[in-house]
Amino acid sequence: MNRITFTREQLYDLIWSESLLTLSKKYNISDVGLRKICIRMDIPLPMVGYWNKVKAGKSVEVKKLSSVYKGEKEISLTLRVEGENQIEDGLSPQMALQKEIEIDPNTNLRIPNVLSDPDPIVENAQKVLNEILKRTKEEKLEVVSLNAYIKVTLKNMNRSLLIMDTFVKAMRKRGHEFNIENGECYVLLNGKERMKMTLKENQTIVESQDRWRSREYIPTGILSFMFEHYGTTASCKDGKEIIENQLAKIIAKLEILSKRLEKERLANEEWHRKYKEERKKQQEFEERKQLELKTFKQTLSEAERYHEATLVRIYADQIEQKAINDGKLTEEVTIRLNWIRRKADWYDPLMNGHDDWLDAGDIRKMHQNDTNSYQTSYYQRTAEVNEWPLAPWYIKK
């Protein structure tokens, strides 16, 4: 956002170079706002009709800037972005929309004297009011909750229902919706942006003069119409104008606000989408990493098995060669060599030979319980070939 700082003298030159209305279209401030700044900084303003005389080529008087001044020396203005917060006919976006709502023939903002064909939102509150009136003969000076979204004294009940009914019907005509959840009433701006709605009577705290200094909440008769959404609020209340005359204003404020809420919601949804996408990528990366490690460990294990199976075969060849050299290649030795080679084929991951006694589970057990019994052969301990424990019974001595 382009922000420009003007000294008092520079702002004076600017004010006398173009009309306030023209400057308000260039900078993100209304002509009224500019006028207030000039008054605050003691900068003289052109008289009414000044710019018409300039256009007509007539002589005009330019008021001099007083040098006697001790206030603020500088002011910053923001350039207005094209297409954003545009001012039409000197009106702010909200004021322009308010004027449009006021003249819209489909939006009836006139408050009737009697509640007729109430909206379901109001009809529910009216039923509660009727039940209260049956139990109460006199008007109590206390706030009564018709529900979570209308909280006023009995004196203001009928007025509140009329305001709420007119407002809700006008909002529905403009494409907005309402729903009630857990007793709370929410307006869905454009059917999407949700704000909690409450019409309540303001109260003031009065402290008693007794020694306990107890506090009492006293209704003021002033109504407030409030809308909120996670810290974002919009409201109006009885003041110079009663709420009945401010409905177009609050509708315009809500509709302008809905655009901002939608922008924030979409940005939030986009952030969450990217966050979930990033989390998914990280999860997939971790899963792939674990798979890579698992697969490599399995490959390493198979390579070790292949290497060990090869050593077993070499060992069998050496036993055979030694037996031949010693003239001791007996039937028992031959049986033993066949047994060793079959076990090597069973253990070799490239062959996965069948074994009558062992299976793949036994290979896993060997790697899980790697003991000296698998690392040291029986013959290293006995050094006697004819004492092989698995020799057939008919060969054993």
Side-chain angles (χ1 to χ4, degrees):
M1 189 175 288
N2 296 326
R3 197 170 185 82
I4 303 174
T5 300
F6 295 93
T7 64
R8 180 169 174 264
E9 291 74 17
Q10 289 172 332
L11 184 59
Y12 166 79
D13 293 336
L14 184 67
I15 294 299
W16 286 89
S17 66
E18 294 182 281
S19 69
L20 294 179
L21 183 57
T22 301
L23 291 174
S24 69
K25 294 178 181 179
K26 184 176 181 180
Y27 298 95
N28 194 25
I29 189 171
S30 67
D31 56 335
V32 175
L34 269 175
R35 182 180 294 277
K36 289 180 179 179
I37 290 174
C38 290
I39 294 172
R40 189 172 73 239
M41 298 180 74
D42 195 19
I43 297 174
L45 293 164
M47 297 292 289
V48 177
Y50 175 87
W51 295 108
N52 289 332
K53 290 180 179 180
V54 170
K55 289 180 181 179
K58 297 181 179 180
S59 61
V60 291
E61 178 188 358
V62 177
K63 297 179 182 179
K64 293 182 179 181
L65 180 66
S66 174
S67 59
V68 181
Y69 175 73
K70 294 183 179 180
E72 55 188 311
K73 304 294 184 182
E74 296 180 342
I75 191 71
S76 295
L77 298 177
T78 304
L79 287 173
R80 191 176 295 280
V81 179
E82 184 177 355
E84 182 179 312
N85 294 330
Q86 292 295 326
I87 291 180
E88 299 178 9
D89 299 326
L91 300 177
S92 67
Q94 182 180 317
M95 184 60 71
L97 181 57
Q98 179 180 333
K99 296 294 183 183
E100 176 190 311
I101 294 170
E102 288 173 345
I103 63 175
D104 182 4
N106 296 318
T107 305
N108 181 14
L109 298 177
R110 186 178 62 82
I111 306 294
N113 295 322
V114 179
L115 190 63
S116 174
D117 189 23
D119 185 272
I121 294 288
V122 178
E123 187 176 21
N124 178 56
Q126 186 183 33
K127 290 179 181 178
V128 177
L129 172 60
N130 291 336
E131 290 298 321
I132 293 175
L133 293 176
K134 287 179 182 179
R135 301 192 304 267
T136 307
K137 295 183 179 180
E138 55 183 283
E139 290 189 357
K140 294 182 179 180
L141 191 62
E142 62 180 23
V143 170
V144 178
S145 295
L146 295 187
N147 42 44
Y149 50 92
I150 299 181
K151 302 175 182 179
V152 295
T153 56
L154 290 176
K155 182 179 179 180
N156 275 312
M157 286 292 185
N158 189 58
R159 179 190 171 202
S160 299
L161 293 175
L162 292 172
I163 291 173
M164 182 68 80
D165 191 54
T166 303
F167 172 78
V168 171
K169 288 176 179 177
M171 288 289 282
R172 289 194 191 278
K173 280 287 185 179
R174 294 186 65 81
H176 308 295
E177 300 173 11
F178 294 83
N179 71 339
I180 297 177
E181 293 181 16
N182 300 321
E184 302 281 4
C185 185
Y186 297 88
V187 54
L188 303 177
L189 301 173
N190 298 318
K192 296 179 180 179
E193 314 312 322
R194 193 169 98 147
M195 298 192 78
K196 186 169 76 171
M197 177 178 70
T198 308
L199 179 59
K200 67 176 185 177
E201 185 169 342
N202 294 350
Q203 301 181 76
T204 185
I205 300 176
V206 176
E207 190 175 88
S208 67
Q209 299 302 313
D210 56 29
R211 62 178 180 175
W212 293 282
R213 295 290 181 182
S214 58
R215 293 183 173 186
E216 186 178 1
Y217 291 88
I218 304 298
T220 62
I222 297 174
L223 297 186
S224 291
F225 214 172
M226 303 180 66
F227 303 83
E228 57 182 320
H229 172 80
Y230 296 114
T232 299
T233 61
S235 64
C236 67
K237 67 177 182 178
D238 291 331
K240 291 182 180 180
E241 284 190 298
I242 58 176
I243 288 181
E244 286 89 335
N245 297 333
Q246 298 184 61
L247 294 185
K249 178 181 178 181
I250 193 63
I251 291 174
K253 188 182 292 187
L254 289 172
E255 291 186 353
I256 293 290
L257 186 58
S258 72
K259 295 178 181 179
R260 195 189 92 194
L261 292 176
E262 180 182 25
K263 187 176 180 181
E264 292 174 353
R265 176 178 58 80
L266 293 175
N268 187 51
E269 289 175 356
E270 179 63 14
W271 183 89
H272 279 283
R273 185 191 67 78
K274 289 182 178 179
Y275 175 76
K276 289 181 180 179
E277 190 176 285
E278 188 62 30
R279 284 291 302 273
K280 183 180 179 182
K281 287 181 180 178
Q282 290 178 356
Q283 185 177 354
E284 290 175 348
F285 176 83
E286 287 299 323
E287 290 175 354
R288 179 55 186 265
K289 181 179 178 180
Q290 294 302 318
L291 180 60
E292 291 279 337
L293 285 172
K294 180 180 178 182
T295 304
F296 181 72
K297 286 175 67 176
Q298 181 179 347
T299 301
L300 185 61
S301 175
E302 291 175 352
E304 290 172 349
R305 283 171 52 197
Y306 171 76
H307 178 66
E308 291 168 349
T310 301
L311 288 177
V312 170
R313 292 189 183 100
I314 293 173
Y315 176 61
D317 292 342
Q318 292 299 317
I319 292 175
E320 184 177 30
Q321 188 60 49
K322 186 175 185 305
I324 291 173
N325 293 339
D326 295 343
K328 295 182 179 180
L329 187 59
T330 62
E331 182 181 3
E332 180 183 351
V333 172
T334 301
I335 292 173
R336 178 189 171 205
L337 291 171
N338 291 336
W339 180 88
I340 293 174
R341 287 168 177 147
R342 284 198 304 274
K343 288 294 183 283
D345 292 345
W346 163 77
Y347 192 67
D348 189 338
L350 299 181
M351 297 188 67
N352 289 319
H354 172 72
D355 189 90
D356 294 334
W357 298 95
L358 304 175
D359 56 27
D362 296 303
I363 294 177
R364 288 192 294 272
K365 290 177 183 178
M366 287 176 62
H367 283 268
Q368 292 171 358
N369 305 301
D370 192 10
T371 64
N372 288 334
S373 62
Y374 293 109
Q375 296 175 359
T376 304
S377 73
Y378 179 84
Y379 288 94
Q380 285 179 309
R381 296 196 298 272
T382 63
E384 294 294 335
V385 174
N386 59 1
E387 292 184 10
W388 183 47
L390 297 179
W393 64 269
Y394 58 86
I395 294 178
K396 289 184 179 180
K397 296 180 180 179

